Amino acid sequence: MNPQLDKDGNLRHLLEIEGLGRDRVVQILDTAESLLPLTERAVKKLPLLRGRTVVNLFYEPSPRTRMTFELAAKRLSADVLNLDVDHSSARKGESLLDTLRNLEAMHMDMLVIRHPDSGAAHFFATHADPQVTVLNAGDGSHAHPTQALLDMFTIRQHKPDFAALTVAIVGDIAHSRVARSQIAALRLLGTGEIRVIAPHTLLPADIDRLGVKVFTDIDHGLRDADVVITLRLQRERMQGADLPGSQEYFRHYGVSSERLALASPDAIVMHPGPINRGVEIASDVADGPQSVILQQVTNGIAVRMAVMALTMGGERTAAQEPGT
Amino acid sequence: MNPQLDKDGNLRHLLEIEGLGRDRVVQILDTAESLLPLTERAVKKLPLLRGRTVVNLFYEPSPRTRMTFELAAKRLSADVLNLDVDHSSARKGESLLDTLRNLEAMHMDMLVIRHPDSGAAHFFATHADPQVTVLNAGDGSHAHPTQALLDMFTIRQHKPDFAALTVAIVGDIAHSRVARSQIAALRLLGTGEIRVIAPHTLLPADIDRLGVKVFTDIDHGLRDADVVITLRLQRERMQGADLPGSQEYFRHYGVSSERLALASPDAIVMHPGPINRGVEIASDVADGPQSVILQQVTNGIAVRMAVMALTMGGERTAAQEPGT
Amino acid sequence: MNPQLDKDGNLRHLLEIEGLGRDRVVQILDTAESLLPLTERAVKKLPLLRGRTVVNLFYEPSPRTRMTFELAAKRLSADVLNLDVDHSSARKGESLLDTLRNLEAMHMDMLVIRHPDSGAAHFFATHADPQVTVLNAGDGSHAHPTQALLDMFTIRQHKPDFAALTVAIVGDIAHSRVARSQIAALRLLGTGEIRVIAPHTLLPADIDRLGVKVFTDIDHGLRDADVVITLRLQRERMQGADLPGSQEYFRHYGVSSERLALASPDAIVMHPGPINRGVEIASDVADGPQSVILQQVTNGIAVRMAVMALTMGGERTAAQEPGT
């Protein structure tokens, strides 16, 4: 049983892309599209989640990701509480299950959870009361589904026919929950060809099962690509044994304008942010006409609003009563 | 003069249980009871404190306690601001009185204060302007009145006749503001017998004046108890000289299912949270049918809403004007 | 071109006092005056910024300043998000421009920025999209315009004829963005005489160009002053080479009641807060009848509301649509 869907196939939680099904993903993207104009208005507010309580439960510090969820929830009129948990002290203290039970006892309606351990969001959803929704804001190296959905939304804006696309993902595939979710989403949407470009040290062990073409040479991997997705290189990675240094990384795997010229002339370039200029991507590419990086940020709010609206919607929304 | 009550005996601040009087406590519990259904609704929102400003002024970090007050205030439609003060730097800096005067000058309506020094909330209330309400969210080893009130609320849900009850409090009585407030509340409500169970090292010097029966042997103390309240053991205490270690503590004072069998068959088990499983309480007891620990959490929101509604209510609420 | 004003001379950003013009400053003060009664009401709420998003982007920790902006924005019904950035880690990370572009992509309407580098707010305003407003909450030793405006507001409440006034500013002029903005505002309003009182080590190099009279002897400087403004002495300054110690500072430059007697009998005494009692100012002066320090705090909320209302106002407000 997939805990993400209720018995009628409606979205109950968002934990990972796997198992959502193509229709559900398209529904999320369509809902986000209908919400996008709202974010352009002066009054960026819908009453959909009025009186509902959303808690951002972050076991990893990520002020910007937290801000995108907080913004999405507030624009839907929810009450938002932020709970930053120091993971190192949390290990010694209360268990995840006790935390969940306490938040449920406070009648939180939605938990947005970010956690360094893969499976944390899944654990919450599996054990949550029926009236609680869990959104995965990144768990270990497992999944970051809202990031993948906003990436699909951005690709669809520019290139709606996924079957005709060649998408190349460049960077640290092994440790990237973003890449893992992107690949799953691209496959669900029937993408023509999915490529990953990385040194052997940054490829996951199960790469053969992911249904992608592997390139260790970026010049080969970018050739005729329609979409170039760069991944953020974690600084801790750069100082470790896996990589010789950020300049060295850029020389071998950075997306420069020369390299981008190998891709399709109308290729778009993406990055989940925040970018390391001159490491994963050259400044002139990040700021150039093919970059859609800032559109990704804008779309991220609409996609998160869509996921919140859909998971909290249906019967539960119908039960909504006016407070005053 | 008791600064908690105005000249007509209405609740103005909540600083401690002592001096509230039985009627006032019952009024708070009754108000909480009327608010409890709200927290079960989809739209958990009352307009009672709309346009009012509540500040959570925490000189001790306690994200969960802060969250319960933030939640209560937001569900009453107040604007909430969080101000975490590093107490060590605060010592060198601005005085409590200057902080109070500044918050008053910003026209804060309610200050929820948590402070490591006993008497801090009392100091604020004594010096506060007439239009400012002070709620004690825990001061030193003095008092934690909302915790005691939510505990009384929870007991009353299950066992409304306090005169017929034997209540046993197990743990570090000496350093516990929670125990001190619980004992005061139990006495106000005319509890039949109040017992404390602790080693000599964890009993306060003034224990004879508290009107309780003292047990150092938990097996004797639990016998035929109707309510078993376990206290949180502070980790700093476990590493200090007062206690030999957490396993040792559990062996002597932990509430196991074997020990709980000594109490009344329908006894309820309580804990202020967060629990240390296998230290103060066995896991099977914490999760068992006699545990009301999570009900305490739920009731805590309703009780805090009730206190906020009552202290901000009356004439001051009548003066409320619609903003739009 | 002054980025603070649009082509019709309306307030677009607030970066510094310089270049605002007298009429604009008077307009802000008049607007604040009309908003001041609101902050005294039970329901302190206007719908002016409903559905707008304000982000407090603080690269320097300053919980109290942040709170005043948060409070002003919430009382205008805006959604407020707080983003504290650790400046030391920010240096290595994302550039200011990337941060700005990301916040714009999230459709933030207003950025309140505090930064240790002079010119940071100016940089944001120069590069911001037309629909984004930037408010300077203090940048390096450059400017702190809302502080200066609330100070002018407070002076005007007591002594409306600036041309007839002698205003003395005492303290660390060299490192004070507050002093710099105060001097600019006092000049704009045509203050009769502006004096600064400081040891040579705490005077800026460009002091001759500021249009002020310099006194190193406080007894001379205070003589017949109508307004005495004390500045906060930064503790790091006291431990450095510029100053011999806080007792020594008070002996030479602290405002005691004896010294205040040298000023005009109805002189008012001001301080931006938080005060260091016995360093910049004696306790009996800070709490005495001539002190308007707490009125400054109250006025600060109204002035910040006024700046927010004016910068977000005009055509943009007219485009406002009701959400529900």
Side-chain angles (χ1 to χ4, degrees):
Chain A
M1 250 285 299
N2 187 332
Q4 297 190 103
L5 305 179
D6 67 16
K7 60 178 168 46
D8 303 319
N10 296 314
L11 194 64
R12 238 184 81 37
H13 307 288
L14 182 66
L15 308 176
E16 57 186 11
I17 300 297
E18 290 83 351
L20 278 187
R22 192 186 171 283
D23 289 355
R24 198 62 55 233
V25 168
V26 170
Q27 180 194 30
I28 295 170
L29 303 187
D30 290 347
T31 306
E33 200 168 308
S34 73
L35 289 167
L36 196 58
L38 176 84
T39 69
E40 310 266 357
R41 296 204 322 223
V43 177
K44 287 167 280 289
K45 205 92 179 172
L46 280 182
L48 209 55
L49 299 191
R50 214 184 75 76
R52 308 302 183 95
T53 314
V54 175
V55 59
N56 287 318
L57 182 64
F58 273 53
Y59 290 83
E60 276 183 347
S62 179
R64 191 192 295 175
T65 302
R66 196 188 64 186
M67 183 180 257
T68 60
F69 281 97
E70 186 176 353
L71 204 48
K74 285 185 168 171
R75 288 183 177 164
L76 293 173
S77 304
D79 286 326
V80 185
L81 289 93
N82 293 316
L83 185 56
D84 287 330
V85 186
D86 179 352
H87 185 56
S88 55
S89 81
R91 275 196 198 282
K92 299 178 296 182
E94 197 182 45
S95 72
L96 281 189
L97 190 59
D98 281 335
T99 300
L100 171 63
R101 291 290 172 248
N102 271 278
L103 294 173
E104 286 174 347
M106 295 177 199
H107 294 294
M108 300 293 181
D109 296 290
M110 182 180 284
L111 312 183
V112 178
I113 178 169
R114 187 179 186 101
H115 200 285
D117 293 343
S118 299
H122 208 279
F123 177 88
F124 267 59
T126 309
H127 292 88
D129 274 353
Q131 69 277 9
V132 173
T133 294
V134 177
L135 303 188
N136 185 0
D139 63 328
S141 56
H142 168 233
H144 194 354
T146 57
Q147 178 69 45
L149 288 167
L150 75 90
D151 293 333
M152 298 308 110
F153 185 90
T154 307
I155 294 172
R156 197 176 76 158
Q157 280 182 322
H158 294 272
K159 300 175 180 290
D161 182 8
F162 280 83
L165 295 184
T166 296
V167 178
I169 307 175
V170 192
D172 180 359
I173 312 292
H175 306 93
S176 175
R177 52 196 175 202
V178 171
R180 210 163 266 273
S181 288
Q182 286 166 338
I183 292 167
L186 288 166
R187 290 180 68 177
L188 262 187
L189 294 172
T191 305
E193 183 172 312
I194 310 171
R195 300 175 185 173
V196 301
I197 306 172
H200 285 297
T201 49
L202 298 183
L203 284 171
D206 65 344
I207 187 71
D208 292 340
R209 279 179 292 164
L210 293 180
V212 298
K213 280 200 182 177
V214 177
F215 293 80
T216 53
D217 181 329
I218 186 169
D219 292 347
H220 291 151
L222 291 183
R223 202 168 305 272
D224 300 323
D226 302 293
V227 176
V228 178
I229 299 178
T230 55
L231 297 174
R232 181 169 167 81
L233 196 67
Q234 303 301 320
R235 290 187 175 273
E236 45 283 20
R237 209 61 67 192
M238 282 190 247
Q239 286 146 11
D242 295 345
L243 271 176
S246 64
Q247 283 192 321
E248 191 75 359
Y249 181 85
F250 181 72
R251 199 153 60 81
H252 287 296
Y253 290 99
V255 175
S256 62
S257 51
E258 293 76 24
R259 283 187 174 138
L260 184 57
L262 301 169
S264 165
D266 63 347
I268 57 172
V269 180
M270 303 171 70
H271 190 292
I275 58 174
N276 295 307
R277 291 169 179 271
V279 181
E280 308 108 15
I281 191 166
S283 265
D284 61 344
V285 174
D287 303 330
Q290 291 173 265
S291 168
V292 296
I293 294 173
L294 291 171
Q295 292 170 42
Q296 288 174 272
V297 176
T298 298
N299 295 339
I301 307 296
V303 163
R304 289 178 178 114
M305 289 173 72
V307 169
M308 289 178 173
L310 287 169
T311 50
M312 302 277 292
E315 300 92 314
R316 277 167 292 169
T317 301
Q320 194 176 350
E321 304 164 50
T324 303
Chain B
M1 250 284 298
N2 187 333
Q4 297 189 101
L5 304 179
D6 68 16
K7 62 178 168 42
D8 303 318
N10 296 315
L11 194 65
R12 237 183 84 35
H13 308 287
L14 181 66
L15 308 177
E16 59 185 9
I17 300 297
E18 291 83 350
L20 278 187
R22 190 184 172 285
D23 289 356
R24 199 61 56 231
V25 168
V26 170
Q27 181 195 30
I28 295 170
L29 303 187
D30 290 348
T31 305
E33 200 167 307
S34 73
L35 290 167
L36 197 58
L38 175 85
T39 69
E40 310 267 356
R41 295 204 322 223
V43 177
K44 288 167 280 290
K45 206 88 179 175
L46 280 182
L48 209 56
L49 299 192
R50 213 184 74 76
R52 309 302 183 95
T53 314
V54 175
V55 60
N56 286 319
L57 183 64
F58 273 52
Y59 288 84
E60 276 182 347
S62 179
R64 190 191 296 173
T65 302
R66 196 188 64 186
M67 183 180 258
T68 61
F69 282 97
E70 186 176 352
L71 203 47
K74 284 185 168 171
R75 288 183 177 163
L76 293 173
S77 305
D79 286 325
V80 184
L81 290 92
N82 292 317
L83 186 56
D84 287 330
V85 186
D86 179 352
H87 184 56
S88 55
S89 80
R91 273 194 201 283
K92 299 178 296 183
E94 198 182 44
S95 72
L96 280 190
L97 191 58
D98 281 335
T99 300
L100 171 62
R101 292 289 172 248
N102 271 277
L103 294 173
E104 286 174 346
M106 294 176 199
H107 294 294
M108 300 293 182
D109 296 290
M110 182 179 284
L111 312 183
V112 178
I113 177 169
R114 188 178 185 101
H115 199 285
D117 293 343
S118 299
H122 207 280
F123 177 88
F124 266 60
T126 309
H127 292 88
D129 273 354
Q131 70 278 9
V132 174
T133 293
V134 177
L135 302 189
N136 185 0
D139 63 328
S141 55
H142 168 234
H144 194 355
T146 57
Q147 178 69 46
L149 289 167
L150 75 89
D151 293 334
M152 298 309 110
F153 186 90
T154 307
I155 294 172
R156 197 176 76 159
Q157 279 182 320
H158 293 273
K159 300 175 180 293
D161 182 8
F162 280 84
L165 294 184
T166 296
V167 178
I169 307 174
V170 192
D172 181 358
I173 312 291
H175 305 93
S176 175
R177 52 195 175 202
V178 171
R180 210 162 267 273
S181 288
Q182 286 167 337
I183 292 168
L186 288 166
R187 289 181 68 177
L188 262 188
L189 294 171
T191 305
E193 184 171 313
I194 310 170
R195 301 176 184 171
V196 300
I197 306 172
H200 284 298
T201 49
L202 298 183
L203 284 171
D206 66 344
I207 186 70
D208 292 340
R209 279 179 292 163
L210 293 180
V212 298
K213 278 199 182 180
V214 176
F215 293 79
T216 53
D217 181 328
I218 187 169
D219 292 346
H220 292 151
L222 292 182
R223 201 168 305 271
D224 300 323
D226 303 293
V227 176
V228 178
I229 299 178
T230 55
L231 297 174
R232 180 169 168 80
L233 195 67
Q234 302 301 319
R235 289 185 176 274
E236 45 283 20
R237 209 60 68 192
M238 281 190 247
Q239 286 147 12
D242 296 342
L243 271 175
S246 65
Q247 283 192 321
E248 191 76 359
Y249 181 85
F250 182 72
R251 199 153 60 80
H252 288 296
Y253 291 99
V255 175
S256 61
S257 51
E258 294 76 24
R259 281 186 175 140
L260 184 56
L262 301 169
S264 165
D266 64 347
I268 58 172
V269 180
M270 303 172 70
H271 190 291
I275 58 174
N276 296 307
R277 291 169 178 271
V279 181
E280 309 109 13
I281 191 167
S283 265
D284 61 343
V285 174
D287 303 330
Q290 291 174 267
S291 169
V292 296
I293 294 173
L294 291 171
Q295 292 170 42
Q296 288 174 273
V297 176
T298 299
N299 296 337
I301 307 297
V303 163
R304 288 178 179 113
M305 290 173 73
V307 169
M308 288 178 173
L310 287 168
T311 50
M312 301 278 292
E315 302 90 314
R316 277 168 291 170
T317 302
Q320 195 175 348
E321 304 165 51
T324 304
Chain C
M1 251 285 299
N2 187 334
Q4 297 190 103
L5 305 179
D6 68 16
K7 60 178 168 46
D8 303 318
N10 296 315
L11 195 64
R12 237 183 83 36
H13 307 288
L14 182 66
L15 308 176
E16 59 184 11
I17 300 297
E18 290 82 350
L20 278 188
R22 192 185 172 284
D23 289 356
R24 198 61 57 230
V25 168
V26 169
Q27 181 195 30
I28 295 170
L29 303 187
D30 290 348
T31 306
E33 200 168 307
S34 73
L35 290 167
L36 197 58
L38 175 85
T39 69
E40 310 266 356
R41 295 205 321 224
V43 177
K44 288 167 280 290
K45 205 91 179 172
L46 280 182
L48 209 56
L49 300 191
R50 214 183 74 77
R52 309 302 184 94
T53 314
V54 175
V55 60
N56 286 318
L57 183 64
F58 273 52
Y59 290 84
E60 275 183 346
S62 179
R64 191 191 295 174
T65 302
R66 196 188 65 186
M67 183 180 259
T68 60
F69 281 97
E70 185 176 353
L71 204 47
K74 285 185 168 171
R75 288 183 177 163
L76 293 173
S77 304
D79 286 325
V80 184
L81 288 94
N82 292 317
L83 186 57
D84 287 330
V85 186
D86 179 352
H87 184 56
S88 55
S89 81
R91 273 194 200 283
K92 298 179 295 183
E94 197 183 44
S95 73
L96 280 191
L97 191 57
D98 281 335
T99 300
L100 171 63
R101 291 291 172 247
N102 271 278
L103 294 173
E104 286 174 347
M106 294 177 199
H107 294 293
M108 300 293 181
D109 297 290
M110 182 179 284
L111 313 183
V112 178
I113 178 170
R114 188 178 186 102
H115 200 286
D117 294 342
S118 300
H122 208 278
F123 177 87
F124 267 60
T126 308
H127 292 87
D129 273 354
Q131 69 278 10
V132 173
T133 294
V134 178
L135 302 189
N136 185 0
D139 64 328
S141 56
H142 169 234
H144 194 355
T146 57
Q147 178 69 46
L149 289 167
L150 75 89
D151 293 334
M152 297 308 112
F153 186 89
T154 307
I155 294 172
R156 196 175 77 159
Q157 279 182 321
H158 293 272
K159 300 175 181 292
D161 182 8
F162 280 82
L165 295 184
T166 296
V167 178
I169 306 174
V170 193
D172 180 358
I173 312 291
H175 306 93
S176 176
R177 52 197 175 202
V178 171
R180 210 163 266 274
S181 288
Q182 285 166 337
I183 291 167
L186 288 166
R187 289 181 69 176
L188 263 188
L189 294 172
T191 305
E193 183 170 313
I194 309 171
R195 301 175 185 172
V196 300
I197 305 172
H200 284 297
T201 50
L202 298 183
L203 284 171
D206 66 344
I207 187 69
D208 292 340
R209 278 180 292 164
L210 293 180
V212 298
K213 279 199 182 177
V214 177
F215 293 80
T216 53
D217 181 328
I218 186 170
D219 292 347
H220 291 153
L222 291 183
R223 201 168 306 271
D224 301 322
D226 301 294
V227 176
V228 178
I229 299 178
T230 56
L231 297 175
R232 180 169 168 81
L233 196 66
Q234 303 301 318
R235 288 184 177 275
E236 44 285 19
R237 209 60 68 192
M238 281 189 248
Q239 286 146 12
D242 295 343
L243 270 175
S246 64
Q247 283 193 321
E248 190 75 359
Y249 181 84
F250 181 72
R251 199 154 60 81
H252 287 297
Y253 290 100
V255 175
S256 62
S257 51
E258 294 75 26
R259 280 186 175 139
L260 184 56
L262 301 170
S264 165
D266 64 347
I268 58 172
V269 180
M270 303 170 70
H271 190 290
I275 58 175
N276 295 307
R277 291 169 178 271
V279 181
E280 309 108 13
I281 191 167
S283 265
D284 61 343
V285 174
D287 303 331
Q290 290 173 268
S291 169
V292 297
I293 294 173
L294 292 171
Q295 292 169 43
Q296 288 174 272
V297 176
T298 298
N299 296 338
I301 307 297
V303 164
R304 288 177 178 114
M305 289 172 73
V307 169
M308 289 179 172
L310 288 169
T311 49
M312 301 279 290
E315 301 91 312
R316 278 168 291 170
T317 301
Q320 195 176 350
E321 304 164 51
T324 303

